[in-house]
C-alpha cells in the first residue's frame, strides 16, 4: 500500500470544470423550460450555455453565458442556473464553488413577436 503523501494528486483541468458547468446550466434551463410552455423558453433551453472556469487548489470560479426566453423571470432563471452549477460542479469534482457569474447573452422572443415579422406582415397585407 502506498502512503497518502506518496500517491500524488489529482488535478481537474479548467476546461473539464467548464464543461461540467455548461452541462449543469443546460440542465437548469431545461428544468425551467419544462415548467413553462412558452416556445421562446424551449428554444433558449436548447442552446448550449458557454462556460469558463478558473481552478485554483480545490476552488473553482465559474462564468456561464446563457440564452433565455423572453418574457420570463430572468432573475429566477439566473438564480436557478447559479445554484445548479454550484451543486453539480461540487458533487462531481469535490471542489468548492464560491462564485458563479451568469451572463445573459441573448433573449429569445417568440417568433410572432419579432418586430421585423410584424413589419413584413403589415406590408404583405396592404397592397
Amino acid at each position: 500500500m502506498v502512503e497518502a503523501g506518496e500517491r500524488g494528486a489529482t488535478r481537474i483541468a479548467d476546461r473539464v470544470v467548464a464543461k461540467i458547468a455548461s452541462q449543469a446550466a443546460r440542465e437548469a434551463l431545461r428544468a425551467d423550460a419544462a415548467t413553462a410552455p412558452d416556445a421562446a423558453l424551449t428554444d433558449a433551453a436548447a442552446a448550449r450555455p458557454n462556460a469558463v472556469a478558473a481552478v485554483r487548489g480545490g476552488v473553482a470560479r465559474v462564468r456561464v453565458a446563457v440564452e433565455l426566453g423572453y418574457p420570463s423571470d430572468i432573475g429566477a432563471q439566473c438564480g436557478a442556473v447559479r445554484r445548479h452549477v454550484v451543486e453539480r460542479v461540487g458533487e462531481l469534482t469535490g471542489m468548492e464553488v464560491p462564485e458563479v457569474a451568469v451572463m445573459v447573452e441573448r433573449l429569445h422572443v417568440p417568433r410572432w413577436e419579432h418586430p421585423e415579422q410584424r413589419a413584413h406582415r403589415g406590408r404583405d397585407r396592404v397592397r
Side-chain angles (χ1 to χ4, degrees):
M1 182 181 261
V2 180
E3 294 298 319
E6 297 176 22
R7 285 187 231 158
T10 301
R11 182 181 173 326
I12 301 173
D14 293 359
R15 73 180 191 282
V16 173
V17 174
K19 188 149 188 153
I20 293 168
S22 175
Q23 182 61 35
R26 189 173 191 184
E27 290 168 3
L29 292 174
R30 280 189 173 175
D32 192 55
T35 63
D38 191 338
L41 291 176
T42 306
D43 291 345
R48 179 171 290 278
N50 185 28
V52 177
V55 177
R56 299 293 174 262
V59 177
R61 298 190 189 288
V62 179
R63 192 177 315 168
V64 182
V66 297
E67 297 180 11
L68 302 176
Y70 183 82
S72 66
D73 188 343
I74 295 169
Q77 287 181 301
C78 290
V81 167
R82 188 174 296 109
R83 284 186 299 278
H84 197 65
V85 168
V86 167
E87 178 185 318
R88 293 294 285 160
V89 170
E91 83 184 20
L92 293 174
T93 66
M95 293 181 184
E96 179 185 343
V97 188
E99 180 181 328
V100 176
V102 180
M103 299 175 298
V104 179
E105 282 194 335
R106 180 178 294 157
L107 295 174
H108 289 269
V109 178
R111 185 179 240 356
W112 52 270
E113 285 191 9
H114 284 294
E116 59 273 19
Q117 292 291 332
R118 265 185 277 160
H120 291 298
R121 273 198 314 257
R123 274 185 263 155
D124 291 343
R125 287 188 201 150
V126 180
R127 289 191 182 221

